Amino acid sequence: MTDNNGNDAGRGQRERWQPRGKRLGLKELKGRASVRDYLVQGRELLKEERYDEALIQFEEALRNNPDIAPAHLAVGNIHYKQGRLEQALTHFQRAISINNQLAPALLMAGNIYRELGDMDKALKDYEAALEIDPKLIGAQLGAGKIYMSQERLDEAEQRVRESLRLNPELTAARVFLANIYLQKKDSPAAVEQLRLAIQTDPQFWLGYLQLGKLYLDEGRHAEALDEFRDLIARQPDYALGHYFAGVSAMECADYAAAVRGFEEALRLDPAMEAAHSRLAAALMKQGDYERARIELLDLARTKRRSPLAHRLLGDLYASTGHYRQSVEAYQAALLHGPQLGDEYPQIAEILHSALSDGQKALALREVFAQAPLAAEPPERERGGGSMGGGRGGRRRMLQGRRRRKP
């Protein structure tokens, strides 16, 4: 892990990270600065988001008195913001050892343990923080996420509902609660929470994304399309929104709209393989086989081991009477996707039969039609558009955001 200055955060004791910035307070303050002066100056710099300079002030305070728990908390928060998790954890633990009633330090230690994958320690710290301060929403949600990962859904729901009791406008908690209901197979309750999130903040684009995907999974394609169009209106540069709008339009047999959706997704994220394959399928539905063929050949060249590209080429060649090429394409799909042979053993039987190429191609097309295209692209393809990338950006995508007070 590297920090914002390019330093290796994993070097530990071998090479201590040094903050950059002017040592404010040393020159400006008349005479010898007190510990309180350093703390006040550090807090002022934090408000201005001048983190490196604030860090110097807090560390000066700790050099004068290493037992100031709030200073350790502040230093830990700065390290955490800048991605140095181990250094942050050290300071949070030190703050807790000085004052075991410091709930924010327990919360932040829990967050780091959860990011590092130590769920037992994370849950212990979250619960300890809540014993001290039951109104600490971050600890409520953090504990809820761990309970959800452990499939303790009732306990997860209890934590999220408590956070919403404390702040009914917390859209992140609404989305979280909706996901819990989806795991409980309670779709109407999930829809209700997503609707409440959108009502709370009409610009909350993640609510439209989640609601559209839910409708898509339930086969409510027209409603899904409406939600994805609302999403696009708010995040026009989000590739995945255009992709899902294309998927929904295709399910509604609006192939022209589907083509537009996939083309826009690819303009924003040219590497999205799922959009290439979906675009080709939509073009075939329109009867534009030549453009679909070019799209699939390009995809097959760049993604040579993609069973989907070869499967769609098989469909295309079968539809245009090029049966020998169709059979070869289906063979390539089976070669690069051996799981297809496990799920559909008749594929191998047809390929090794004495049928003519035409009979094989048409029979294989029927079998492959039973394997629908995946609605959602793989995780590695979901970074397109303005929402992608980064630890903080990822968190915003998953959790949403709090509605700001006017």
Side-chain angles (χ1 to χ4, degrees):
M1 181 186 301
T2 59
D3 62 26
N4 291 347
N5 297 318
N7 300 308
D8 184 351
R11 294 181 183 176
Q13 301 299 320
R14 290 182 289 126
E15 187 176 310
R16 178 175 169 77
W17 176 85
Q18 294 295 327
R20 296 179 181 178
K22 181 181 175 184
R23 290 182 175 270
L24 295 179
L26 299 180
K27 187 175 181 180
E28 287 80 350
L29 293 171
K30 301 288 186 179
R32 182 176 177 180
S34 68
V35 170
R36 182 179 178 280
D37 293 328
Y38 291 127
L39 294 175
V40 170
Q41 185 68 55
R43 292 186 186 113
E44 290 300 316
L45 290 165
L46 272 183
K47 291 178 184 177
E48 299 173 13
E49 299 184 357
R50 295 160 66 182
Y51 298 121
D52 285 351
E53 294 165 290
L55 186 57
I56 290 171
Q57 297 301 305
F58 290 123
E59 289 189 335
E60 288 291 343
L62 290 172
R63 269 190 281 273
N64 282 271
N65 182 352
D67 293 328
I68 306 173
H72 282 289
L73 177 61
V75 171
N77 280 329
I78 293 171
H79 284 310
Y80 182 78
K81 282 179 179 291
Q82 298 183 335
R84 297 181 291 276
L85 298 188
E86 292 181 3
Q87 287 175 264
L89 182 58
T90 298
H91 283 279
F92 293 139
Q93 289 172 330
R94 181 74 177 108
I96 295 165
S97 71
I98 297 167
N99 179 4
N100 62 9
Q101 297 299 299
L102 194 59
L106 287 161
L107 165 62
M108 293 306 299
N111 287 342
I112 292 177
Y113 281 129
R114 185 163 59 85
E115 289 195 38
L116 295 175
D118 194 334
M119 300 304 173
D120 290 338
K121 288 184 178 179
L123 187 57
K124 181 180 177 182
D125 280 345
Y126 287 142
E127 296 292 4
L130 289 170
E131 285 183 14
I132 300 164
D133 183 3
K135 295 182 179 180
L136 201 57
I137 290 177
Q140 295 281 6
L141 292 176
K145 289 171 186 174
I146 293 175
Y147 287 135
M148 186 174 178
S149 70
Q150 296 173 344
E151 298 185 356
R152 297 161 65 180
L153 299 182
D154 289 339
E155 291 166 282
E157 181 182 349
Q158 179 184 355
R159 290 302 187 194
V160 181
R161 284 203 167 279
E162 180 60 21
S163 71
L164 285 169
R165 189 183 69 81
L166 296 167
N167 183 0
E169 295 187 343
L170 191 60
T171 52
R174 295 283 180 197
V175 174
F176 187 7
L177 188 56
N179 287 329
I180 292 172
Y181 285 134
L182 285 177
Q183 285 206 19
K184 287 186 168 186
K185 311 298 183 187
D186 189 346
S187 177
V191 169
E192 179 186 17
Q193 290 303 317
L194 291 171
R195 284 286 175 212
L196 286 170
I198 292 170
Q199 289 171 16
T200 300
D201 183 0
Q203 297 304 314
F204 181 53
W205 64 272
L206 183 60
Y208 299 100
L209 175 65
Q210 297 278 41
L211 196 53
K213 289 168 66 176
L214 190 157
Y215 287 148
L216 196 58
D217 289 342
E218 292 185 342
R220 298 160 66 177
H221 302 128
E223 292 169 276
L225 183 56
D226 287 340
E227 298 302 329
F228 293 129
R229 283 174 173 166
D230 282 339
L231 165 61
I232 291 167
R234 289 157 178 80
Q235 292 292 340
D237 293 331
Y238 185 41
L240 205 57
H242 292 280
Y243 169 82
F244 278 119
V247 171
S248 303
M250 194 162 177
E251 294 294 342
C252 293
D254 187 346
Y255 302 123
V259 167
R260 289 194 298 272
F262 298 133
E263 286 178 334
E264 185 62 14
L266 289 169
R267 185 186 70 80
L268 294 165
D269 184 2
M272 190 185 289
E273 179 184 347
H276 282 288
S277 58
R278 285 278 186 169
L279 174 58
L283 289 168
M284 282 193 281
K285 289 290 187 180
Q286 287 186 307
D288 193 345
Y289 293 109
E290 180 57 23
R291 189 176 164 204
R293 185 181 70 85
I294 294 171
E295 188 74 30
L296 289 171
L297 288 175
D298 285 343
L299 181 59
R301 277 192 289 267
T302 56
K303 303 284 185 179
R304 296 180 181 179
R305 296 186 180 182
S306 168
L308 184 55
H310 295 292
R311 171 256 172 102
L312 289 173
L313 277 169
D315 291 346
L316 186 150
Y317 289 133
S319 298
T320 54
H322 296 82
Y323 298 128
R324 179 69 255 166
Q325 289 170 283
S326 174
V327 172
E328 290 175 350
Y330 285 134
Q331 284 177 321
L334 185 60
L335 176 65
H336 296 300
Q339 72 279 2
L340 290 169
D342 296 333
E343 294 179 33
Y344 305 97
Q346 60 268 48
I347 294 175
E349 295 173 7
I350 295 169
L351 286 171
H352 294 100
S353 71
L355 296 172
S356 68
D357 286 339
Q359 291 170 320
K360 286 182 180 179
L362 297 177
L364 288 167
R365 185 176 64 178
E366 288 186 15
V367 174
F368 275 96
Q370 300 173 35
L373 302 179
E376 192 154 347
E379 181 72 25
R380 65 181 179 275
E381 294 188 13
R382 298 183 202 172
S386 62
M387 291 293 105
R391 178 167 157 253
R394 175 79 176 155
R395 186 182 293 114
R396 284 190 295 275
M397 285 189 69
L398 294 175
Q399 297 179 355
R401 58 185 174 86
R402 296 183 184 182
R403 186 187 183 196
R404 293 186 179 180
K405 297 284 186 183

